[in-house]
Amino acid sequence: MDEIKIIENRIDYFTRELLDEIFKPTGNTTSISGNPSPTFTKDLAEEIDSLLIKSKNLELTDPIISLFARLKGIRKEMGISPEAFGITRQTLIILAQKHQELDEHEVTVGGRLNQALQIVEQANGRVQNYMNAKDVEAPSGIELWDKIQENIERIKSALNIDEKEWNSYSGQLKNCIDSINKLSKVIKVPANVIEDVGRVTKNYRMRLTPYYASLIQPDNINDPVLIQSVPTGEMVDNVGIEIPPVAADHSPARLIDQFYPRVLTIKATNMCAMYCTHCLRIAHIGKKDRIYSDNAYEEALNYIRGNKLIRDVLITGGDAFVLPNKIIKKILNALDDIDHIRMKRLGTRIPVTAPWRIDQELLEVLEESNDKKPLRVVTQINTAQEITPLSREAFRRISKSVSAVLNQAVLLKGINDTKIKMWKLCETIHESYVRPYYIFNCSYRNPQFSHLRVPVETGRDIVESMYGNISGDAIPRFIATAGGKIPLHRSNVVSTNGSSAILKKPWSNEEVKYPDADSEIYADQNFSFAKYIS
């Protein structure tokens, strides 16, 4: 008995609480050799006996947890004490000690059963609605691949595209859908929609690759790919007082955009494989595709050479991957030769609009530059529907040649403005070698797509809901562009009092006390290695 007392004194609060719960007096302690209650069956007694034997004989923790969990359930549901099965508190104390000794981290029975497993169960409940709805409300292009294959065959026939042309970047561009006539051949839309598209395309360019058009699901009137690629009448009806084109007020040199002291953008082309209906640079697209002169690129590079504060350069457009490989290589080589440039980025939508562009030569250009200084690819994927086996493979290959592939999504009405759609987007790209980086609130500067904007509070609710529910590095930052990128996350620090803070869990609104750093210790600079030389 003294040994049992010693063991019982060692068990933690959680296990003691569990034992008290299981052995709470009930008056129902009929033994298996006595007269059992109606719920006390032979099968139940044999089940408990089997669990007890396994718990004693096997060097595993699972049988012990199963025994305790079953006894707890029987006590709660039937009011039957373990003593009815001939199991004493001392027996369970010894098994609890065995569990703790077997576990590599000395986790206790009570901690695992009454705490950890319950936390997991509660967490599972938070995501159950998402798990049930995600593949219906927000299917990825991988899950829709059979339907997309049907669309591909239909579009190839409608546009008379052969297999070789379809499976090539040049073929995709050659057969791009850039007119009402072509659009009406591949997408069944009402006549008034076709008429509205015609009104818009008098002022704004429309282009989508046949491949990107194949992602559109005809049975969804507001298909998220359709909304992004085919302009509607709002783009001209919404235009009221024009706001100066983005970059008109922050372009200190030719082709350069700059908001920040250490980061800038080279707008290296106006071309894209498809033109998005929410394009931030809609005023710069123009009527013709353009690759700029050597003089233009050299002026931009000279500005960078002369500004030693700059360390990070984004090459974008348009779409950087639309540039020929030799021009991409030339610009990257020039940046690599500038000592104060330490990081480079390339902005592209090509992997989701024309994945065949990701050829071996391009990958070698990327890898060569990345070996000199870190090179990242920044893309824009706004719906899981844009991730197909082809785009996923393109991102996989790119990820092997650069230091990171990052996604900058735009929060858009009807496309990704629910928790389920955004969670699915972030998880899908996370599984496709792309890290969610930003979610931009749709620009206020462009009245052409005010119909696609989403309230800030809606965006904040969506982003905050991710914490504690999906992987941490799959959660992007929510950003508004207003003279620079402004984070829109609401503060989860409710209050501080010097010694502690009250924090709010964004996924449950639960407030918890969090011990803060000691301000006096923090202020003391005579610490760590410094204290040895003071």
Side-chain angles (χ1 to χ4, degrees), residues 119-180:
I119 290 170
V120 170
E121 185 177 356
Q122 291 167 2
N124 289 345
R126 291 199 307 269
V127 300
Q128 198 56 55
N129 180 56
Y130 167 67
M131 296 301 295
N132 292 339
K134 65 183 179 70
D135 295 342
V136 176
E137 184 175 328
S140 73
I142 294 171
E143 291 146 5
L144 292 170
W145 190 237
D146 287 345
K147 291 184 177 180
I148 291 170
Q149 294 282 65
E150 294 174 4
N151 293 341
I152 288 172
E153 294 306 314
R154 175 174 51 80
I155 293 171
K156 283 164 62 177
S157 175
L159 298 182
N160 195 27
I161 305 174
D162 63 29
E163 193 73 17
K164 184 177 179 181
E165 279 196 320
W166 181 274
N167 290 317
S168 70
Y169 175 59
S170 60
Q172 288 290 321
L173 290 189
K174 174 185 173 183
N175 294 284
C176 67
I177 298 161
D178 55 3
S179 68
I180 300 171

Side-chain angles (χ1 to χ4, degrees), residues 317-358:
D319 191 308
F321 279 10
V322 171
L323 293 168
N325 290 336
K326 64 180 182 179
I327 293 182
I328 295 175
K329 182 173 183 176
K330 183 177 180 179
I331 296 174
L332 288 174
N333 283 345
L335 293 174
D336 286 328
D337 287 341
I338 301 172
D339 185 61
H340 56 269
I341 298 303
R342 304 301 175 87
M343 311 286 290
K344 300 107 31 182
R345 284 176 284 166
L346 291 163
T348 183
R349 284 264 274 161
I350 283 288
V352 296
T353 61
W356 294 274
R357 168 67 180 96
I358 312 305

